[in-house]
Amino acid sequence: MKWMNVLKCILLLTIISGFHACQSGSKEEGFHLRIRLKEDVDCLQPIVSQTRSATQIEALIMFPLIEYNMDKIELTPLLVKAIPALFSSNDSSDVYASDILPEAVWDNGTAVTAADYAFSVKAALNPFIKNTNWKSTLKNIHDIRWNEADPKHLEVVVSKNYLLAKELSGNINVYPEYVYDPERIMQKYTIRDLLTKDSSSWTTAEWTGLQKFADQFQSADFCKKIISGCGPYRLTSWESGSKIILEKKKNWWGEKYASNQAMLQANPDKISYLIIPDEATAVLALKDGSVDICTDISPRQFEALRMDSSSKTKLQFFTPGIFQYNYIDFNTRTDILSDLNVRRALAYLVDIPSFIQNVMQGLAQQVVGPVHPSRSYYNQQLKPIVFSIDSALSLLQKSSWKDSDKDGILDKMIKGKHTKLSLNLMVSSDGGKKLALLLQEQAKKIGVEINPVNKDFSLILKDLNALNFDLVALNISQQPSLYDPFQNWHSSNAKAGGSNRCGFATPETDSLIQIIRTSATEDRRNQAYLRFQEVLYEAQPQIFLFSPKERLIASSRIQLEPSNRRPGYLENMVKER
């Protein structure tokens, strides 16, 4: 019903415009920054949330001890006096020490301490926490030490030579224990026990305690109502599907450091995140001034706005690179896709340069693997696969695929069963849909049937976790830190619910991942990175597509410095002109 969609857009625009009319021009409220989000946030709780937009909001409420800065993408202190330094070492572990700023306090005036950092790690390691993404990295923390005589001195014991040791020592959102665990349940458990014990190793009382904490911690109240941290902003309003509002804290402890540490600035007095899924509505909101910052605009719309002469005085356009790559994942466990020749043939059928030019409007860079092309250890020796229908057909013929029943689709006998070369490709985004149609068109020319399946991403995620798929178009956002391939490529994660969804893993790749994670020298680590990329390139467990540029549009009324860090800007550093 198209008229219903039109009515929804008009209604949403009316609400947004009314919000703008009521809020703009008020000197009492100060600088009010308005940001468009394409989708609502699932939860404002870093350990629990799984939506990308949640991360940027959480970062303003719940600071980590250290964070990557916006310009050089280097770790910089936020809650500590200096970046954690190597304090001591033995054959199995390294100890990193830091001191939390004496002024750093929670909203009730009590001090941010090392005990809060330990609590944050323990909370993420609780076996009843549904989001397991943190655990593959946090398991490299052996212990966290502090004492009551000096509660702001923190020592984090991590695996020997672990490549993300400094990140584990401070780049974790810190939770106020008094808010999120008022009964101090997690104080009864050690990090070692949380890492090593399985369900049968706990007493009934211990297991019940862990479940009780997790149920409270993951509850709706702690996701959407009771949101607390030591950052400069607090949540004041959340209307699901409409808007999320943050307001700057009065007399925030970090103000005295802001002149010397840009990451501690808190320039907007109020930040409103407006949930506007529809792109046309978002563009109109930009044009009428009811939105100040907008990302997730399609490449074609972005370029059209940039070329529009009427936009030049009202809007600013930025295209910073971002740590992300897009790809088509293969389920290499299936009878068809376990064949390397089939996977490589499908890779030959995607005209990536044409897609970048015509769909992405040139705002992307082709890649050869999961390592971002800006990295010094990106393998420049690997050449992108060149679109070639003839090469694709030749590879399929080598694997004995032919159209034996003359129905236009290649087939062969696999394990005694007549099997057609027919594959489902799951997609959710507009770009993914266009990619699927492009692959379908080229594949049909040589007798390969590609069936695009449009699904909401939440449903795709369920199929992925159940390993119920052939092909799926996805993207991965990566951290600014050194690339750790463990979560997405290690054999231990190639299982239902794991993050190695394609299922590709070998003893060599597992060994290379271990070297990457624990090498004592940069040179040895980089050599392992290069070989790891080479193995993936040769095995083709994914079609590696491109790394996109961010498409960021901002009102001319604000001053914004773009960054390679997602989402391309930092709200608290935005200034009013």
Side-chain angles (χ1 to χ4, degrees):
M1 297 183 180
K2 291 184 178 179
W3 67 271
M4 283 293 291
N5 291 330
V6 172
L7 182 59
K8 287 178 182 178
C9 289
I10 293 172
L11 180 59
L12 184 56
L13 256 183
T14 302
I15 293 171
I16 293 169
S17 298
F19 181 78
H20 173 53
C22 292
Q23 301 295 334
S24 63
S26 172
K27 293 182 179 180
E28 292 182 358
E29 76 167 4
F31 175 25
H32 183 184
L33 181 66
R34 297 149 304 183
I35 299 170
R36 176 257 185 158
L37 293 182
K38 188 176 182 179
E39 61 182 4
D40 204 352
V41 173
D42 60 339
C43 175
L44 285 178
Q45 234 246 61
I47 292 173
V48 178
S49 64
Q50 298 191 60
T51 53
R52 189 178 67 192
S53 51
T55 303
Q56 70 182 93
I57 303 175
E58 292 160 349
L60 300 174
I61 300 172
M62 305 177 73
F63 268 5
L65 302 182
I66 57 177
E67 185 56 279
Y68 283 90
N69 58 31
M70 297 295 286
D71 48 359
K72 297 181 180 179
I73 316 298
E74 296 175 345
L75 285 172
T76 188
L78 290 185
L79 299 181
V80 289
K81 296 176 181 178
I83 297 296
L86 184 62
F87 179 72
S88 63
S89 185
N90 59 34
D91 291 340
S92 63
S93 62
D94 295 321
V95 180
Y96 283 81
S98 60
D99 292 285
I100 299 172
L101 293 169
E103 295 86 355
V105 295
W106 300 114
D107 289 348
N108 70 346
T110 60
V112 178
T113 68
D116 292 304
Y117 195 77
F119 162 71
S120 304
V121 172
K122 288 181 182 181
L125 292 174
N126 185 301
F128 287 98
I129 296 298
K130 297 174 184 178
N131 183 3
T132 61
N133 291 336
W134 287 49
K135 294 179 182 178
S136 65
T137 300
L138 291 182
K139 71 180 184 180
N140 288 284
I141 294 181
H142 297 188
D143 196 11
I144 295 178
R145 303 193 300 229
W146 74 98
N147 63 74
E148 297 300 329
D150 190 5
K152 283 184 174 281
H153 180 73
L154 171 68
E155 295 178 6
V156 182
V157 185
V158 299
S159 299
K160 183 74 173 179
N161 296 324
Y162 180 50
L163 83 163
L164 299 180
K166 288 187 178 180
E167 284 82 356
L168 287 184
S169 303
N171 192 218
I172 295 170
N173 302 79
V174 187
Y175 284 70
E177 183 182 30
Y178 80 93
V179 172
Y180 289 90
D181 190 12
E183 298 178 44
R184 303 298 194 268
I185 294 173
M186 295 306 296
Q187 285 188 7
K188 303 172 185 177
Y189 304 88
T190 67
I191 289 175
R192 181 176 295 278
D193 284 347
L194 290 167
L195 287 170
T196 58
K197 284 188 175 183
D198 59 23
S199 58
S200 63
S201 301
W202 301 99
T203 67
T204 300
E206 289 171 335
W207 193 243
T208 301
L210 288 168
Q211 185 168 21
K212 178 182 178 181
F213 169 80
D215 288 345
Q216 295 171 350
F217 191 72
Q218 298 175 115
S219 68
D221 280 350
F222 279 121
C223 267
K224 296 196 173 185
K225 295 179 181 178
I226 307 171
I227 312 298
S228 183
C230 63
Y233 293 91
R234 61 164 48 94
L235 175 70
T236 59
S237 175
W238 185 346
E239 296 178 23
S240 294
S242 179
K243 59 179 178 286
I244 297 171
I245 299 177
L246 306 185
E247 290 187 0
K248 181 179 176 180
K249 297 174 182 176
K250 294 180 179 179
N251 302 315
W252 179 58
W253 66 266
E255 289 179 352
K256 66 175 291 185
Y257 294 98
S259 59
N260 295 321
Q261 169 52 284
M263 296 282 286
L264 291 176
Q265 292 177 8
N267 296 320
D269 297 285
K270 184 176 182 179
I271 304 175
S272 293
Y273 297 89
L274 307 179
I275 317 302
I276 312 176
D278 181 71
E279 183 171 283
T281 307
V283 169
L284 288 174
L286 268 171
K287 288 182 174 181
D288 74 14
S290 54
V291 164
D292 296 311
I293 298 177
C294 189
T295 58
D296 287 314
I297 294 292
S298 67
R300 190 172 296 280
Q301 180 66 75
F302 181 86
E303 286 301 310
L305 277 173
R306 184 152 63 168
M307 297 303 294
D308 184 353
S309 58
S310 65
S311 300
K312 292 183 178 179
T313 58
K314 294 182 179 180
L315 303 175
Q316 308 171 75
F317 298 86
F318 306 95
T319 57
I322 51 175
F323 294 105
Q324 175 184 310
Y325 81 94
N326 292 47
Y327 62 101
I328 295 176
D329 218 357
F330 294 130
N331 187 349
T332 64
R333 306 168 187 81
T334 69
D335 290 336
I336 293 176
L337 293 171
S338 62
D339 184 348
L340 172 59
N341 284 338
V342 174
R343 300 198 300 269
R344 182 53 63 97
L346 291 172
Y348 273 118
L349 293 174
V350 182
D351 190 347
I352 299 173
S354 176
F355 187 86
I356 290 175
Q357 187 60 39
N358 298 321
V359 177
M360 297 300 295
Q361 301 295 303
L363 299 174
Q365 178 180 350
Q366 189 169 358
V367 297
V368 297
V371 175
H372 194 272
S374 67
R375 305 292 193 181
S376 61
Y377 45 86
Y378 179 78
N379 197 327
Q380 301 283 355
Q381 301 303 311
L382 303 177
K383 304 303 178 186
I385 293 175
V386 178
F387 172 71
S388 173
I389 292 179
D390 291 340
S391 296
L393 182 59
S394 176
L395 285 169
L396 294 175
Q397 290 172 342
K398 285 182 180 179
S399 287
S400 302
W401 289 96
K402 57 184 179 180
D403 187 8
S404 63
D405 52 8
K406 308 301 180 185
D407 66 348
I409 302 174
L410 300 178
D411 58 82
K412 65 183 283 190
M413 297 297 292
I414 300 178
K415 298 179 180 179
K417 181 181 179 181
H418 180 255
T419 304
K420 292 184 178 295
L421 190 41
S422 177
L423 299 163
N424 293 332
L425 171 54
M426 293 194 298
V427 297
S428 60
S429 67
D430 290 339
K433 294 171 186 176
K434 292 175 181 177
L435 181 67
L437 293 175
L438 175 66
L439 178 56
Q440 180 186 50
E441 178 185 0
Q442 301 301 336
K444 185 177 181 180
K445 296 176 182 178
I446 58 171
V448 179
E449 184 177 58
I450 300 294
N451 306 303
V453 179
N454 299 331
K455 282 188 174 184
D456 184 83
F457 184 72
S458 62
L459 298 177
I460 288 180
L461 190 59
K462 288 182 180 179
D463 284 335
L464 291 176
N465 287 333
L467 307 180
N468 180 32
F469 72 100
D470 295 327
L471 312 173
V472 57
L474 296 168
N475 66 68
I476 287 182
S477 294
Q478 299 174 335
Q479 297 299 316
S481 58
L482 288 170
Y483 173 60
D484 183 356
F486 181 87
Q487 187 169 326
N488 296 114
W489 295 104
H490 196 270
S491 60
S492 63
N493 292 320
K495 57 188 176 183
S499 297
N500 182 349
R501 290 163 180 141
C502 68
F504 176 80
T506 69
E508 183 182 12
T509 54
D510 278 0
S511 176
L512 289 168
I513 290 170
Q514 183 65 14
I515 294 171
I516 288 169
R517 297 187 110 201
T518 62
S519 176
T521 67
E522 183 180 357
D523 182 66
R524 186 164 186 254
R525 177 178 291 127
N526 287 347
Q527 290 302 314
Y529 272 131
L530 295 174
R531 175 56 186 160
F532 178 74
Q533 294 169 80
E534 186 179 5
V535 173
L536 294 186
Y537 180 87
E538 293 168 349
Q540 197 77 61
Q542 298 176 347
I543 300 178
F544 302 105
L545 299 171
F546 54 82
S547 175
K549 292 184 178 181
E550 185 61 87
R551 301 175 295 278
L552 169 61
I553 307 176
S555 167
S556 295
R557 86 177 186 97
I558 64 173
Q559 182 178 334
L560 178 151
E561 294 296 329
S563 171
N564 290 344
R565 270 189 55 193
R566 272 280 190 187
Y569 59 91
L570 193 60
E571 294 92 316
N572 57 304
M573 293 175 63
V574 175
K575 297 179 180 179
E576 190 173 26
R577 291 187 187 276

